[in-house]
Amino acid sequence: MSTIEKAAARLATRQRGTRPPEPVPPAREVGPLRPAAGPPPTRFCDLDLEQLRQRGFLTPAAPRSALAQEMRRIKRPLLLNIQKAIATEANGTAQPPANLIMITSALPGEGKTFVSINLAMSMAAELDRRVLLVDADIARGDLSQQLGIHAERGLSDLLRENSYLSEEGVLTTNVERLSVLPAGPVVDNVDELFASAQMALIARALADADPDRVIIFDASPLLATTEAAVLAQRMGQTVMVVEANQTPQDAVGQALTQLDGCANVSLVLNKTTGKDAGGYGYGYGAYGQETTTAAAEAD
């Protein structure tokens, strides 16, 4: 065998031992990223409206009740203040948004939570308004308990987590145009949290997210803690509930002193007798003016 034949034989042997290259598969089209499978976040609360009605609260099923009429007399001035504030803002005057409304009292047991829930129900009946009811009495969480809400997340979480997602934790309800932000876990430094820049950011974000939404904060009593007075500085309106024939006059005066400098402070007289009410239900008046009398039930 010649040298050339030997070289050809070695080449043939190497070629028989070499595997042909694998064919390249065609490129696959990549679709959009999908979130991981799992249940969506729970942000709905089914309020037991029949139970609330039996306990004396206003519900959508009783729009012409005496309580509904009383709430209308309270909400109209508050809604009017919101309209006036819109015109004031157009003129460049900076004030806390008037759709941030705090409900408080001088002492515990005067009916502030009862008023907060009923006022929210009444405002939710407005065709061009939405309502966010905030449980801002974090130490007690009375509003959440009255509504039967047992959510794990709430206002205190938003304040501690330093999150800008102000709507996180808000629960929609089976009442049209009404949502709720629960109190969240009990914490020791509520006063400092309410005084923080984070509280200012959250309040402003809630107010600005929907100009047609009214945000009602059910706060702690003014003379029981310092938290309500701090929160009032962030509010565009404050309503103080006073229990008729029960709350001492000096307690009312001390509570109002804590609201000095706050915009649009009003009073509601609660739990009056028919004689005190002069034939009417709840009373409403601006601080510094004569306050009409009112009748109500419950705490």
Side-chain angles (χ1 to χ4, degrees), residues 49-185:
L49 298 178
E50 177 57 26
Q51 184 183 81
L52 288 172
R53 185 193 65 79
Q54 292 177 3
R55 288 160 50 207
F57 287 98
L58 179 63
T59 63
R64 298 185 62 84
S65 65
L67 181 57
Q69 295 286 21
E70 292 161 359
M71 287 299 109
R72 289 187 180 105
R73 281 193 286 269
I74 295 176
K75 74 178 177 181
R76 289 299 166 211
L78 298 173
L79 293 174
L80 181 60
N81 285 338
I82 294 176
Q83 295 297 327
K84 291 179 178 178
I86 294 174
T88 302
E89 290 174 4
N91 294 330
T93 303
Q95 289 185 345
N99 59 340
L100 296 174
I101 302 175
M102 186 184 82
I103 311 296
T104 185
S105 60
L107 302 170
E110 297 193 71
K112 66 175 183 59
T113 300
F114 186 74
V115 172
S116 295
I117 294 174
N118 289 327
L119 185 60
M121 289 284 187
S122 181
M123 285 193 173
E126 297 289 314
L127 300 180
D128 56 353
R129 292 286 179 184
R130 284 164 293 280
V131 182
L132 172 58
L133 186 54
V134 181
D135 190 346
D137 192 350
I138 294 176
R140 298 191 50 157
D142 283 345
L143 187 145
S144 299
Q145 294 178 25
Q146 293 287 351
L147 295 178
I149 297 175
H150 305 287
E152 295 181 358
R153 291 184 56 75
L155 178 60
S156 63
D157 294 293
L158 300 181
L159 290 169
R160 289 182 300 158
E161 293 170 2
N162 200 28
S163 170
Y164 291 95
L165 301 176
S166 58
E167 298 293 329
E168 187 177 334
V170 172
L171 306 172
T172 58
T173 73
N174 51 319
V175 177
E176 190 175 5
R177 295 182 291 274
L178 175 65
S179 56
V180 179
L181 176 58

Side-chain angles (χ1 to χ4, degrees), residues 183-220:
V186 177
V187 293
D188 295 330
N189 60 332
V190 177
D191 186 292
E192 289 77 13
L193 290 173
F194 282 175
S196 68
Q198 177 68 6
M199 183 70 239
L201 288 172
I202 289 175
R204 191 77 200 200
L206 290 173
D208 293 345
D210 184 354
D212 294 326
R213 183 172 65 177
V214 179
I215 300 95
I216 298 176
F217 288 77
D218 180 51
S220 58

Side-chain angles (χ1 to χ4, degrees), residues 102-112 136-137 140 191 194 217-235 237-242 247 250-260 262 265-268 287:
M102 186 184 82
I103 311 296
T104 185
S105 60
L107 302 170
E110 297 193 71
K112 66 175 183 59
D137 192 350
R140 298 191 50 157
D191 186 292
F194 282 175
F217 288 77
D218 180 51
S220 58
L222 285 159
L223 300 184
T225 69
T226 59
E227 299 156 10
V230 173
L231 183 61
Q233 303 301 317
R234 311 291 190 195
M235 299 291 107
Q237 301 189 68
T238 299
V239 175
M240 193 174 85
V241 178
V242 179
T247 306
D250 61 340
V252 175
Q254 292 176 34
L256 288 173
T257 299
Q258 296 193 33
L259 298 176
D260 283 348
C262 296
V265 177
S266 306
L267 303 177
V268 168
Y287 177 37

